[in-house]
Amino acid sequence: MLLIKCPYCEEQREEEEFSPAGQAHIVRPLNPEELSDEQWARYLFFRKNPRGLHHELWLHAHGCRKYFNMTRNTVTYQIMETYKMGQQPSVTASQEVK
Amino acid sequence: MRQVNRIAAKSKHINRSRILSFTFNGKEYQGYEGDTVASALLANGVNVVGRSFKYSRPRGIITADSQEPNAIFQVGSTQATTIPNPRATQTELYQGLVATSTNGWPNVDFDLMSTVGKVGGSMMPPGFYYKTFMYPQSLWMSYEHLIRKGAGLGTSPTQADPDSYDKIHHHCDVMIVGAGPAGLAAALAAADTGARVIISDEQNEFGGHLLCSTQQIDGQLPNLWVEKIVEKLSNMDNVLLLPRSTVFGYYDHNLLGINERCTDHLGEHKSKTIRQRMHKVRAKQVILATGAHERPLVYGNNDVPGCMLANAVSTYINRYEVVPGNELVLMTTNDNAYKTAIDWHQAGRQVIAIVDTRATSNGELVKQAKQLDIDIIFGHGVINVKGSKRVKGVDIAPINVNNHCLTGSAKHFSCDTVASSGGWSPVIHLSSHTGSRPVWKDDIAGFVPGETVQAQHICGGLEGVYSLSKVINDGFSTGAKAAQAADKGEGRYEGSQPHIVDPQEDASMALFHIPHSKRTSRAPKQFVDYQNDVTAAGIELANREGFESIEHVKRYTALGFGTDQGKLGNINGMAITAKSLGKTIPETGTTIFRPMYTPTTFGALAGSDVKHLFDPVRFSAMHKWHLDNSAEFEDVGQWKRPWYFPQAGETMQQSLERECLATRNSVGILDASTLGKIDIQGKDAREFLNRVYTNPWSKLAVGKCRYGVMCKEDGMVFDDGVTACLDENRFIMTTTTGGAAGVLQWLELWHQTEWPELEVYFSTVTDHWSTMTISGPNSRKVLEKICDIDVSNDNFKYMDWIEANVAGVKARIFRISFTGELSFEINVQANYGMHTWQAVMAAGKEFNITPYGTETMHILRAEKGFIIVGQDTDGSVTPQDLDMDWVVGKKKEFSFIGKRSWTRYDNKRDDRKQMVGLKPKDPKFVLPEGAQIVFEPNQSIPMTMVGHVTSSYYSACMGYSFALAVVKGGINRKGQSVFLPLSDGTTVEAEICSPVFYDPKGDRQNV
Ligand SMILES: [Zn+2]
């Protein structure tokens, strides 16, 4: 059971208040009609499943109802940071390698 | 029966003034307050407490703690209060306790299965389950049934649990698990800083190892030190003490689950009190002070009752005042276990010999034993035990540990008890729960917790620190450090240190498995895991068959798969594997433990979230009316919706036919309050609707309604409903009853993550409104009587909405129809719902207005071919599959959600399953929903299935049964026959037709 800091509420709250919503930073193509089936399928279905740092989308479902981003280690379940929509992560897997 | 093994009172743990009677396997015994069931049985000289799982061998009590593999009972006197599989060593005795062996049916002393077992046992080598029961897999269920009946694994209660349970959440600075010397010292040091401290222990008394120790602290018995510390702690406001509280799980981010047994020790079902309480502790810092478990040695026939752990024997003597035998042989690899022989001797019973596997030792305890004239035999091992229901003697032989062989012949000694000690294993279970991999330490021949990402500290025996003075020092400093890490104190313990003299001890020997004159496979059975009857020979066989990783060995032999998770046997099993493979123990892997530390009752996990508190229930404002009018209810999400309204003597089908005919011929009324309603506002609300709905919203005028379909980005329908334009920048969206929360979340997702630049706001207003739908040719006449506005077809057109007063209440009326009849959906503020409903009923009386429920609604809409999302669709259906291309906007500028996916190759196939109507050839036969459809009924099995029935009813209005279905390429197959092979073996025929059965032109809703 994770303890999650909602970047909008700015409080540590129990995981029970939140629901995960998949991979973060997936941008909807602006020109869907111009994409090939394969390009569209990539947006639609292909998701990362990393061992280690992962950027995820979460919803503070039983709280402020805001979606936000979380960088989480999928092995240790450590949460490196949570950040608002539209922001970029300050901790990334490539940084960790260094 | 006399307590033959009870000795003179000396501890404060047993209350001799309170005699408790109990029964075990139907026989009555007596013990004292402070006893466990195990100590009381040993006091009464009960040797056999169960039969082993596979070989059905008689088994006795081995341990005095959570490791116990044999004394696992069924406890409780009634079918409601019976508990399967508690360990007798952890079950406190109470007056009237009823316990039976869980295995050894029909009775432990004469076991029917033992004869079978002797045959079956030899036919059940390791891997037996794996090899035999896997094939054919279909028979596993019957094998398992037989095994369970024969071996017994306890039985579940057959009646409801009468007890109450509770949950509580805590936050603290420092959580300490284990109240032995290390934990108590840590608690005191942490609490002194002012930190909020919780300390829990699974036992009824704090003290841990000190409860059975005779080593002095400050010149007194260790109990006195424990009492002093506990008293200090209980007087501090910042400390919560939890005895009888097992930390069963350590979860991510320092969350601990604790099961406190509040009344289990008092008896069964103490009404009006909480039986068990689950504490969920979120701790800033966790200190694990869980200590160590003694490890038994593995030797021939080491399961004969009377074979015990050395420290367990000391515990029974020093804490419970029970000496579990008369003549002791102690086998040890270390000095520490000499205490057991000394305790036994001082209790006035005979120590036959101490068999020390080491060449020699000059430790202080060894000297003490010598002074007591106890016979010590160095360089030897107990290679075999004689006896069946109780130890009768042992064979002792000189051993060479390095070559795993004997160096001389065996001598026989008579005795009735064999205590063994192979050293100690730190109790690493909790630290493993969070994924930390244990690390092997050669100096203590045991695993200790490895690296962790938790804010976790360890101290005392768990770290492999065993001498008492060091344990207590370690506790003090760890407590202070943990508090400092929680921003309390300076990280140092300033209080006084107790005076302790630790006996000087010589080095222990790392030994696990005692050699025998015969090869292991030919030697008497040497048990490693008692619960699953795993022997040293079995493990070696697994290794020979190529299973080298300990994880594979475990699965092959079932080592560690009992309810004890291999607490007693895992390390020995790994050592035997390592030896037979010529590897070190860490090279064979580590041992991973998972929650629960000990089995936890379902009651504690459920807490009070049972029965009506299990899930919230939602009622509409008219619920009372439905109750008064004998509605049958259906659960839709959390809502209780009227299903149908039976009248006296009616069958359900008769009710439905009456409700349907009344609505089609005059007027019916439905409580539609549960439909989801989302208020959408903002200057970009219209654009937003364009993007999430498949149809266009740009031109919907104020006062108009439109039906819309929502798809996921993969193009599949996921909700539908009517949305009305309330104002230029304001809409009210209705969703399906079950989909309301999901749709709101969906809208928020797109707005917040993809289109934050759109100015639009969503509010759920489902509960704000009561909604009643009057439907049928007389519905306008009813409405006219109580409405202050002209509702004629000229003034109030189909798909319009108006604001009006209904029965004196301000209402929004939507002229929309889900039945195909002239319909008005009246929405009033929820608290006027009952008033308005009653007014409508009164006005409708002359037209025999008939309330109907969800089932009639389903029939009427299906007659019109209107889908129900989630019943007729399943997340793999596009609007085109539903033949609803009319709901797709062709000229919309924005590429709305789902659109692009419809042109994906797979979604363009013309053999996709498509929505059609079905007319069974037998007009009275109602096809079962879910029935599979085939084109060719005479094909061989497995048949090629081409679709299934999604909705199916008998229509009283049309006089025949009908169905909605999805059929491959169905839209172009109208008029063709399909076949439905049913589960009873019959096959029925139906004709594919349009899904719109009733009033296909839609005239009735437009009048
Ligand atoms: Zn929040």
Side-chain angles (χ1 to χ4, degrees):
Chain A
M1 288 288 287
L2 309 179
L3 196 60
I4 298 170
K5 182 177 181 180
C6 170
Y8 295 96
C9 297
E10 298 189 329
E11 268 188 38
Q12 301 266 3
R13 310 291 293 190
E14 292 289 331
E15 186 181 328
E16 289 167 353
E17 293 186 11
F18 299 85
S19 38
Q23 186 178 329
H25 303 300
I26 292 171
V27 180
R28 187 177 201 252
L30 291 171
N31 51 350
E33 297 344 297
E34 293 161 28
L35 300 184
S36 68
D37 272 9
E38 196 190 323
Q39 287 169 319
W40 183 248
R42 230 156 243 295
Y43 155 70
L44 207 51
F45 301 122
F46 284 66
R47 295 294 182 267
K48 289 179 180 157
N49 184 19
R51 184 185 161 84
L53 290 194
H54 188 35
H55 306 292
E56 299 172 334
L57 190 62
W58 283 73
L59 170 65
H60 196 181
H62 301 283
C64 62
R65 276 180 28 201
K66 289 278 199 186
Y67 285 86
F68 61 91
N69 301 302
M70 175 193 294
T71 304
R72 191 174 67 94
N73 187 318
T74 60
V75 178
T76 64
Y77 289 15
Q78 281 171 298
I79 296 170
M80 317 314 290
E81 62 175 337
T82 55
Y83 50 102
K84 294 178 181 175
M85 292 313 309
Q87 296 180 341
Q88 291 301 310
S90 64
V91 185
T92 60
S94 58
Q95 281 175 329
E96 210 185 29
V97 173
K98 287 171 197 167
Chain B
M1 196 179 211
R2 213 164 58 82
Q3 298 184 40
V4 291
N5 285 330
R6 191 74 72 173
I7 53 172
K10 58 180 206 166
S11 85
K12 290 171 72 177
H13 309 292
I14 297 294
N15 179 4
R16 300 283 176 134
S17 64
R18 183 109 205 279
I19 299 170
L20 303 173
S21 302
F22 69 103
T23 67
F24 173 62
N25 285 337
K27 241 188 203 171
E28 189 161 328
Y29 300 95
Q30 288 185 338
Y32 296 110
E33 188 177 72
D35 266 325
T36 62
V37 174
S39 66
L41 286 172
L42 288 171
N44 285 280
V46 175
N47 298 324
V48 180
V49 297
R51 290 273 173 171
S52 78
F53 179 73
K54 200 161 94 181
Y55 303 112
S56 206
R57 290 163 67 110
R59 290 281 165 83
I61 295 162
I62 296 182
T63 77
D65 56 27
S66 65
Q67 297 194 89
E68 180 58 36
N70 292 341
I72 293 175
F73 296 158
Q74 189 84 28
V75 176
S77 61
T78 71
Q79 269 307 327
T81 54
T82 190
I83 312 165
N85 301 330
R87 295 147 307 285
T89 48
Q90 295 194 298
T91 306
E92 288 178 62
L93 193 63
Y94 54 81
Q95 174 61 33
L97 182 142
V98 177
T100 53
S101 300
T102 48
N103 43 21
W105 170 83
N107 109 38
V108 288
D109 283 320
F110 175 74
D111 188 342
L112 191 71
M113 282 298 284
S114 64
T115 31
V116 185
K118 275 176 190 142
V119 183
S122 61
M123 296 188 334
M124 283 168 75
F128 177 73
Y129 304 103
Y130 187 88
K131 289 171 178 164
T132 312
F133 289 160
M134 289 303 285
Y135 308 103
Q137 219 168 13
S138 57
L139 279 179
W140 165 246
M141 294 306 282
S142 49
Y143 288 134
E144 192 200 16
H145 179 71
L146 286 174
I147 291 171
R148 276 178 184 267
K149 188 168 169 58
L153 291 169
T155 54
S156 305
T158 55
Q159 286 170 14
D161 189 339
D163 286 307
S164 304
Y165 300 84
D166 194 17
K167 279 184 201 168
I168 187 166
H169 290 258
H170 301 277
H171 294 265
C172 68
D173 293 313
V174 181
M175 167 80 217
I176 296 145
V177 186
L184 287 172
L188 189 63
D192 271 352
T193 67
R196 288 177 65 185
V197 171
I198 301 176
I199 177 167
S200 77
D201 195 283
E202 61 179 343
Q203 301 207 54
N204 59 326
E205 288 183 72
F206 280 5
H209 187 66
L210 298 180
L211 294 172
C212 65
S213 170
T214 51
Q215 188 178 354
Q216 293 197 332
I217 302 180
D218 289 332
Q220 293 177 303
L221 280 174
N223 284 333
L224 297 171
W225 183 80
V226 171
E227 278 168 27
K228 197 176 76 185
I229 304 285
V230 170
E231 199 196 331
K232 263 193 196 171
L233 291 173
S234 30
N235 287 330
M236 297 171 93
D237 291 339
N238 55 330
V239 179
L240 174 66
L241 292 88
L242 293 173
R244 296 192 175 92
S245 300
T246 304
V247 176
F248 58 77
Y250 185 0
Y251 305 92
D252 295 303
H253 299 190
N254 267 14
L255 178 74
L256 294 100
I258 306 177
N259 181 24
E260 180 189 11
R261 295 171 301 280
C262 310
T263 63
D264 284 25
H265 61 291
L266 300 175
E268 290 172 31
H269 186 42
K270 297 287 161 197
S271 56
K272 291 181 189 166
T273 54
I274 299 294
R275 180 184 162 212
Q276 295 180 352
R277 177 177 289 122
M278 183 159 88
H279 299 256
K280 293 184 179 181
V281 177
R282 190 68 85 164
K284 284 188 188 157
Q285 303 290 323
V286 167
I287 297 176
L288 299 179
T290 47
H293 282 148
E294 196 169 25
R295 213 160 42 217
L297 288 161
V298 177
Y299 51 98
N301 288 321
N302 56 345
D303 67 329
V304 177
C307 293
M308 299 177 74
L309 278 176
N311 189 62
V313 171
S314 283
T315 301
Y316 288 115
I317 296 171
N318 294 331
R319 177 174 176 185
Y320 297 106
E321 299 159 2
V322 173
V323 189
N326 290 303
E327 297 164 326
L328 173 75
V329 168
L330 169 74
M331 171 163 57
T332 179
T333 62
N334 55 74
D335 279 12
N336 188 270
Y338 277 68
K339 284 178 188 165
T340 300
I342 295 166
D343 290 336
W344 189 279
H345 179 89
Q346 284 173 344
R349 302 211 175 167
Q350 195 185 352
V351 178
I352 303 295
I354 296 175
V355 181
D356 194 322
T357 59
R358 299 171 296 180
T360 187
S361 169
N362 292 307
E364 279 175 37
L365 291 165
V366 178
K367 287 177 193 159
Q368 275 184 40
K370 280 181 184 160
Q371 278 162 17
L372 296 170
D373 281 335
I374 294 172
D375 193 8
I376 302 174
I377 310 170
F378 284 108
H380 278 63
V382 172
I383 63 165
N384 189 26
V385 173
K386 294 279 167 60
S388 111
K389 288 180 189 170
R390 178 77 199 198
V391 172
K392 291 206 168 88
V394 291
D395 294 329
I396 294 172
I399 56 175
N400 178 323
V401 173
N402 293 331
N403 297 330
H404 194 71
C405 66
L406 305 188
T407 57
S409 55
K411 266 186 278 184
H412 183 80
F413 289 79
S414 288
C415 65
D416 65 0
T417 306
V418 184
S420 78
S421 171
W424 294 79
S425 298
V427 182
I428 56 173
H429 303 64
L430 291 175
S431 77
S432 327
H433 287 181
T434 61
S436 158
R437 292 192 83 77
V439 175
W440 180 260
K441 275 180 80 175
D442 272 329
D443 59 335
I444 59 155
F447 283 103
V448 295
E451 269 185 49
T452 181
V453 296
Q454 307 300 320
Q456 171 195 298
H457 310 256
I458 57 175
C459 63
L462 177 59
E463 265 189 306
V465 173
Y466 295 139
S467 65
L468 186 56
S469 64
K470 287 184 186 155
V471 165
I472 290 180
N473 278 339
D474 194 14
F476 283 135
S477 64
T478 307
K481 271 185 224 146
Q484 188 189 29
D487 295 325
K488 296 280 155 63
E490 305 299 320
R492 279 184 311 278
Y493 174 64
E494 308 285 0
S496 61
Q497 306 268 358
H499 177 69
I500 298 165
V501 180
D502 289 312
Q504 179 270 322
E505 290 186 12
D506 273 9
S508 307
M509 173 186 266
L511 178 63
F512 308 88
H513 180 197
I514 305 297
H516 190 270
S517 54
K518 295 176 180 162
R519 282 189 287 133
T520 304
S521 57
R522 300 266 173 223
K525 285 194 168 56
Q526 301 161 329
F527 286 92
V528 177
D529 181 330
Y530 295 80
Q531 247 196 0
N532 282 332
D533 268 353
V534 178
T535 61
I539 292 172
E540 289 186 1
L541 174 64
N543 299 146
R544 278 203 302 283
E545 295 200 355
F547 295 85
E548 302 197 350
S549 148
I550 192 65
E551 291 300 328
H552 293 157
V553 172
K554 282 165 75 173
R555 275 152 189 80
Y556 192 70
T557 60
L559 170 70
F561 275 43
T563 57
D564 61 352
Q565 287 195 51
K567 288 187 179 74
L568 203 61
N570 271 4
I571 305 293
N572 285 336
M574 292 178 69
I576 290 164
T577 298
K579 189 177 62 188
S580 88
L581 298 175
K583 291 182 179 177
T584 64
I585 290 176
E587 279 169 356
T588 67
T590 52
T591 179
I592 298 290
F593 298 99
R594 296 189 172 82
M596 312 297 190
Y597 174 70
T598 45
T600 304
T601 56
F602 283 109
L605 297 176
S608 54
D609 303 329
V610 292
K611 298 175 184 165
H612 67 288
L613 296 177
F614 178 67
D615 200 28
V617 179
R618 300 174 79 181
F619 305 110
S620 85
M622 289 83 90
H623 188 71
K624 172 104 180 11
W625 192 95
H626 305 325
L627 286 174
D628 292 344
N629 287 271
S630 64
E632 291 290 331
F633 290 90
E634 179 183 28
D635 290 337
V636 184
Q638 291 167 334
W639 289 101
K640 294 279 174 205
R641 294 197 70 178
W643 188 18
Y644 62 103
F645 290 84
Q647 291 185 351
E650 272 183 350
T651 64
M652 178 175 175
Q653 186 58 33
Q654 286 166 341
S655 303
L656 298 177
E657 291 179 12
R658 175 179 51 74
E659 291 174 13
C660 285
L661 288 168
T663 305
R664 290 256 184 256
N665 295 331
S666 179
V667 60
I669 180 165
L670 172 79
D671 181 352
S673 306
T674 62
L675 284 180
K677 291 176 266 301
I678 301 170
D679 195 325
I680 303 176
Q681 301 186 38
K683 72 175 173 55
D684 296 316
R686 199 178 283 274
E687 172 60 18
F688 193 88
L689 292 178
N690 272 329
R691 296 183 182 189
V692 297
Y693 270 133
T694 59
N695 44 345
W697 296 84
S698 301
K699 291 183 180 143
L700 188 71
V702 176
K704 295 283 178 190
C705 309
R706 181 165 290 168
Y707 171 77
V709 165
M710 252 182 248
C711 289
K712 292 257 157 140
E713 190 73 294
D714 62 2
M716 305 302 160
V717 173
F718 99 100
D719 207 77
D720 69 343
V722 169
T723 291
C725 184
L726 300 180
D727 207 340
E728 189 47 41
N729 293 332
R730 186 175 181 195
F731 296 82
I732 182 124
M733 174 188 281
T734 58
T735 73
T736 55
T737 296
V743 170
L744 180 64
Q745 225 173 71
W746 178 249
L747 303 179
E748 290 284 4
L749 173 72
W750 284 94
H751 181 230
Q752 291 181 31
T753 66
E754 208 62 50
W755 308 314
E757 70 279 7
L758 296 185
E759 192 184 319
V760 58
Y761 305 90
F762 313 97
S763 303
T764 173
V765 293
T766 304
D767 294 326
H768 301 195
W769 298 92
S770 280
T771 306
M772 52 215 84
T773 304
I774 50 173
S775 195
N778 286 325
S779 57
R780 182 179 284 122
K781 290 181 194 155
V782 175
L783 185 59
E784 276 169 345
K785 288 174 69 180
I786 49 173
C787 179
D788 66 348
I789 275 183
D790 173 13
V791 292
S792 67
N793 196 33
D794 291 338
N795 197 51
F796 187 17
K797 295 194 177 55
Y798 180 56
M799 295 309 279
D800 281 0
W801 76 271
I802 53 164
E803 209 161 63
N805 283 306
V806 175
V809 178
K810 202 173 143 188
R812 284 180 193 156
I813 309 173
F814 297 84
R815 205 185 141 189
I816 55 180
S817 177
F818 197 40
T819 60
E821 299 296 329
L822 173 67
S823 289
F824 300 91
E825 192 189 284
I826 306 164
N827 289 269
V828 295
Q829 201 177 304
N831 44 350
Y832 293 117
M834 183 65 112
H835 161 81
T836 312
W837 177 277
Q838 282 168 336
V840 174
M841 292 306 294
K845 193 161 187 205
E846 60 178 294
F847 307 102
N848 187 32
I849 190 167
T850 301
Y852 64 90
T854 51
E855 195 64 20
T856 287
M857 175 188 81
H858 283 190
I859 298 170
L860 296 176
R861 65 88 205 178
E863 289 172 352
K864 287 289 297 175
F866 295 149
I867 59 157
I868 288 185
V869 171
Q871 173 161 345
D872 300 301
T873 69
D874 60 3
S876 69
V877 179
T878 65
Q880 295 80 12
D881 296 336
L882 294 168
D883 206 5
M884 282 170 65
D885 202 41
W886 52 266
V887 85
V888 171
K890 307 294 186 300
K891 293 178 197 154
K892 292 209 284 180
E893 201 178 315
F894 191 86
S895 183
F896 53 88
I897 297 172
K899 182 184 177 190
R900 171 62 184 85
S901 292
W902 295 331
T903 56
R904 291 183 63 239
Y905 166 76
D906 190 61
N907 294 341
K908 286 194 299 189
R909 282 186 296 116
D910 50 17
D911 63 343
R912 287 180 62 81
K913 288 180 185 171
Q914 295 166 332
M915 171 68 57
V916 293
L918 288 184
K919 262 190 210 170
K921 289 280 158 174
D922 174 356
K924 295 282 172 207
F925 185 79
V926 179
L927 299 170
E929 287 175 357
Q932 294 292 326
I933 296 167
V934 300
F935 290 141
E936 170 51 59
N938 296 320
Q939 56 185 308
S940 59
I941 294 171
M943 295 186 179
T944 303
M945 293 174 284
V946 296
H948 62 273
V949 175
T950 60
S951 295
S952 178
Y953 312 95
Y954 176 75
S955 166
C957 307
M958 304 184 298
Y960 59 84
S961 58
F962 72 106
L964 300 179
V966 287
V967 177
K968 281 189 172 180
I971 291 169
N972 290 324
R973 288 178 176 270
K974 283 170 189 159
Q976 297 180 12
S977 275
V978 290
F979 299 87
L980 298 99
L982 303 180
S983 53
D984 64 2
T986 62
T987 298
V988 296
E989 185 180 350
E991 185 193 310
I992 299 179
C993 58
S994 159
V996 186
F997 291 86
Y998 192 78
D999 184 26
K1001 286 189 181 151
D1003 295 334
R1004 299 179 67 91
Q1005 64 201 12
N1006 276 315
V1007 292

